[in-house]
Amino acid sequence: MAQTPHGSFLRHRGYRYLKLGSLLCIICILAYWAHDPADGPNGGSWLGYTLGTIGALLIGWLAWLGVRKRRYGSTMGTVKGWLSAHVYLGLALITVATLHTGFQFGWNIHTAAYVLMLMVILSGVFGIGVYARMPTLITENMGTSDRETLIDEILDINQQALKLADPLGPEVHRIISRSTERMRLGGGLWAQLFGPLPPGRRAIDELRKIVADEESAASAKVFDPQSSTVMFMAGELSQAKKRGEIAEKSRQLMELIGRRNALIVRVNRDIQLHAQMQIWLYFHVPLTVALLAALAAHVISVFLYW
Amino acid sequence: MVQGSFKIAIVGSGPAGLSAAARAAELGISHVLLEAESWLSNTIYRYQKGKHVMAEPDVLPLRSPLTFTAGKREAILEAWNSGTAALGVNIAHRARVSAIGGQKGAFTITLDGGDTLQAEAVVLGIGLQGNLRKLGCPGEDLDWVQYQLDDPDEYKGETIVIVGAGDAAIENAIALADNNKVYILNRRDEFDRAKPGNLSGILKAIEDGKLTCLYNTKPVAAEDSPGGKRLRVATNDGETELAVDRIIARLGATPPRAFVESTGIQFPSKDPNSVPAVSAQYESNVPGLYIIGALAGFPLIKQAMNQGYEVVEFIEGRTVEPADTPLLRDKFAVLPDITDIEEALATMQRRVPILKPLTPLQMREFMIDSDIRAPADGEIIFQLNDYTDTFYSVVSGTVEIEVDPADPSKRFTLGKGEFFGEMSLISGRRRSATVRAGNQCVLIETPRRSMNKLINSVAAVKRVIDEVFLRRIIQGKIAPTLPPEEIADLVSSAEVRQYRPGELLFSEGDAGDALHLIRKGSVTVSREIGGKDVVLAYVPAGQYVGEMALVSDLPRSATARAAVATETIRLDGVAFKELMMRRTQVRDRVQEVYRSRVAQNAVAQARPMGDVLEFMMSQGLGEATDVLLIDESLCVRCDQCEKACSDTHGNVSRLKREAGPTFANLHVPTSCRHCEHPHCMKDCPPDAIKRAPNGEVHITDACIGCGNCERNCPYGVIQMGIQSKTKPSLWRWMLFGGDEPGRYHPAKKDKSAKKATKCDMCKDLDGGPACVRACPTGAAMRASPEQFVKLYRGGR
Ligand SMILES: Cc1cc2nc3c(=O)[nH]c(=O)nc-3n(C[C@H](O)[C@H](O)[C@H](O)COP(=O)(O)OP(=O)(O)OC[C@H]3O[C@@H](n4cnc5c(N)ncnc54)[C@H](O)[C@@H]3O)c2cc1C
Ligand code: HEM
Ligand code: HEM
Ligand code: SF4
Ligand code: SF4
Ligand code: SF4
């Protein structure tokens, strides 16, 4: 198939914001290189203040994405454009902020803010990585179906399996109902991220055993040379037929459970891929909040000590 | 049992018949109201329980002894029951009329069961719903045999047999199977009448054992036996018996047309949507036999009730000013000189030939639906490439049509009595030229539906419009600069051809004997490459295919196939070649198209689109004007698109991101395609579905929530929903949690007030589609078929 023409946010408007971000970095570096304050480069010089202000404005604007992306009626650009700018200017922020600090790090609130910023950016970079990889994996796993349909199908199969198991006696019924009860879709965060245990093979193994038992019993009786009277033969034959049927039904059950388990694996993989694609935002956003707090503290403390 | 002789017999107790009978009772006229069912007003009786019934059109006053205001179905039916009782209306229930004979002054009415009665005048108000088909075997009227299902959740733990193989039967069977043991009885060995979604649903349900299908099986008798309720059925292997609790037969309805025709009433055309023509007094072509309500072409309750009142007045020999006269007066407000409405209508009919064949009632209706416009000199009526679809008749003055977009000074003029706008009406495509008002211009602007209704009910109107369309499109597309006489031969060689989706216009290797001008629908052009049919191009309505073989004299170099239901104008090759020989400008024009197509095909072959185009055609691209597409390799499943739609559209999302088919990475979510000929518009009683100038098909507030459009849209993109104005606050949600914007579903208290909701392409929002603008990664996009093909060919 021809490549789809939808432009990714990374390529937005011919990499406009990549260019803008790079330009910003270059200007900052040049200024830093040209600037030579008496007490060495630091946040307190005029360039330091300028870079700090640019950095703080950038951070505020970057965090504003959380607001803009939910203002659905807004006509201020598109969210795609915003995200493109977010990524490239967010990366440029590393240069801006680092030059602002003049490489003066220590165990203080200032450096805490800086480190938080780096963590937000790092999680963002991770996000770009998964956004590039996961969507295709999800499509490949799901094929033309979707999760809801698969779950419906799984529940359906469970119903069918129970129905099929009903006439096969309490033993089979127990196996099936236990297997349906134990089935796990999704689960806690851990299970979502790393996948829950694959569905057990126990039900299938037990069914396999029943099939084998019933089949051997059935064939053994039919060809039993000891059988003497015709009446007895007829009785055994119907017995054997019944056993054959049980074996046949159990085999169908095995197939059903097998098919269901394959579906469970697919649904769980879908859940897992979604979780892996989205988990980073649960770092990115809280870290942003922490960053905003630390930054406020930094700025206030700087003015207090001034 | 009813017998005897009456002055007026009214058939059908819908709003129309009921109101007529009530008026007759009020005046003390001898009358009888014959109703097939045991209750009044079967159509409304059968609405969903608790449905909110709307009283459109608002501006129309009600004129009836009975009351009617918007409200719940139950309240309305109750008001009519007590109203008819208070007036002493003579109602005969279970009196289905099977024949009407005789003539004015002495009609004989025969009921099912053989009873007859006499009447001097007969009023037919039997609506369009038709009669539900019954089981057609003994026991069909038992109380556990039903023909309708309101709420599947009412039944639990029963054994239910569904009879039928259509959509209604399938939907009922699947819904009931959750809580009941369900059999579905199918006369034949497949479900070939069902929508694709229902078909796969029922096959899956059968395969999963959720329900049992008995194929090739017919009911023979339903009976109460000592052992319980039984249904005997005949299968290919003989008869068997089923123990059942309930039978639900969904066998559709017989349209009333055959019965109506048997009374001598004529229909104007074979079109199944056509209704009989009636006089301004609602009298049909059979004197003394009157038609009112839906059967006369008036699909709303209030109109039907007004006509009921009026028809009795007319039968009594009185004249009444129809209730809609104030509406008409409003229409004429633009022309202050006019005082006598009747006179003005007659003048218009005299001036505009196409309106001549209309009956006075049709003319009134036509004018009520239409608008009169008196644009200033030079004002633009519509622009080239607008998507509007109204039809204009010139009452006086002139209009100027700009034939050449490159040179606005090239125009031709239409004068009094002529019409324009028929191109978009027929092709469903954008306007093909800009039209400006000339001097002293007065126009009638008519909406698409009213025009289509007219075309279907007045053969002469259809003929004239088709002829003019043919002449204008041939002229416009082939010889815009030639005088009309030059192309007379070609025009007379033309014939309209119709194709089903997928049908061939011509195949690769055929002799090139004709050119097809696409009048409606679209066509794909493909060529066999490496043993596989490769689609090279998509040709929409308004363009032609088949010119290559005519220009080059070689056999057809490609196959043309209808992508959707398509109509073409077939122009004979010999006449066409003759014209090309005679007139070099025609030849040059066609050759130019030919050359650009050859170049295009070369590109197409070099950059094959594979099966993506075919997939999109199966998704309705061939009749779409704009489709929402998601590139799944970019989509991070954040549902921003859905949230954006919901937040900007009364908290009801018009798109379902996850639903819908996927091909490779291309996903077509469930969202409106804004079809060229929207199927959803077909059957909307208040004509609430409109097309905006940019092509957006949208639903106005006039919607009465009947759900017809939901059923008629083949792509399942309309939902009945309750819109709400309140929006949750973003900041409150961010700081304190609670309702998230875009994910807010206010408690659905009043289920009955549901209205149809669908994508309106955000026509009322600045900045365009909110779904696309909210997508963070660029996965979502909207495209027209032309843009789609271009983009997927790599931006060429
Ligand atoms: C789901 C739905 C919702 C709607 N909602 C609205 C709304 O909100 N507002 C609105 O204005 N309109 C609405 N409409 C349209 C409205 O119902 C119809 O326009 C109206 O009922 C037409 O009235 P009528 O009297 O012409 O015919 P009908 O109401 O169809 O009545 C015909 C009657 O004739 C009887 N009959 C038929 N054949 C015979 C026979 N041979 N002998 C004796 N009796 C016979 C039938 O049993 C029936 O009672 C809706 C329609 C539908 C389908
Ligand atoms: C309004 C914006 C800002 C102002 C006014 C500002 C101000 C200052 C000042 C005056 C100093 C020097 C303090 C000193 O030498 O003791 C400083 C240092 C520093 N700033 Fe900022 N700053 C701003 C934004 C930022 C931002 C956005 C970051 C990064 C997240 C940051 C991180 C630092 C760090 C790490 C130092 C070095 C601390 C040290 O010297 O130990 N500042 N800032
Ligand atoms: C200090 C810098 C940054 C801040 C404060 C910040 C903040 C935010 C915020 C508030 C959101 C909105 C999340 C939501 O509401 O769902 C967001 C989203 C996002 N950010 Fe950042 N970000 C920063 C840097 C980066 C960088 C450098 C990248 C990439 C390299 C990045 C990539 C993203 C992505 C991909 C999203 C998701 C958009 C979406 O799915 O809607 N961010 N960021
Ligand atoms: S609602 Fe359906 S039929 Fe109507 S325009 Fe949209 S896709 Fe076409
Ligand atoms: S828009 Fe749909 S639901 Fe509303 S009145 Fe028209 S057909 Fe009925
Ligand atoms: S275009 Fe607008 S109305 Fe249509 S689906 Fe997108 S957001 Fe909804």
Side-chain angles (χ1 to χ4, degrees), chain A residues 201-221:
Chain A
R201 294 198 42 85
R202 193 159 146 199
I204 294 193
D205 291 341
E206 283 173 347
L207 283 171
R208 175 163 296 138
K209 193 163 162 298
I210 290 178
V211 173
D213 285 356
E214 298 291 335
E215 271 182 342
S216 66
S219 54
K221 290 278 161 49

Side-chain angles (χ1 to χ4, degrees), chain A residues 4 6 74 79 139 156 160 277, chain B residues 208 631-632 636-637 773 779:
Chain A
T4 51
H6 302 229
S74 168
V79 175
T139 306
D156 259 22
Q160 273 182 64
M277 183 168 70
Chain B
D208 295 351
D631 181 345
E632 286 207 331
V636 295
R637 277 69 167 176
R773 285 185 300 123

Side-chain angles (χ1 to χ4, degrees), chain B residues 671-675 678-680 697 712-715 717-718 758:
Chain B
S671 164
C672 178
R673 277 89 163 131
H674 301 274
C675 305
H679 309 273
C680 51
V697 176
N712 281 336
C713 169
Y715 307 109
V717 306
I718 299 186
K758 69 177 280 298

Side-chain angles (χ1 to χ4, degrees), chain A residues 27-41:
Chain A
I27 293 175
C28 291
I29 292 172
L30 287 179
Y32 187 82
W33 176 69
H35 183 60
D36 188 16
D39 46 356

Side-chain angles (χ1 to χ4, degrees), chain B residues 628 641 644-645 648-649 654-655 671 759-762 769-771 782:
Chain B
L628 180 61
C641 46
C645 187
T648 50
H649 291 81
R654 316 303 162 89
L655 81 107
S671 164
C759 167
D760 59 5
M761 259 197 314
C762 293
C771 48
R782 300 208 66 119

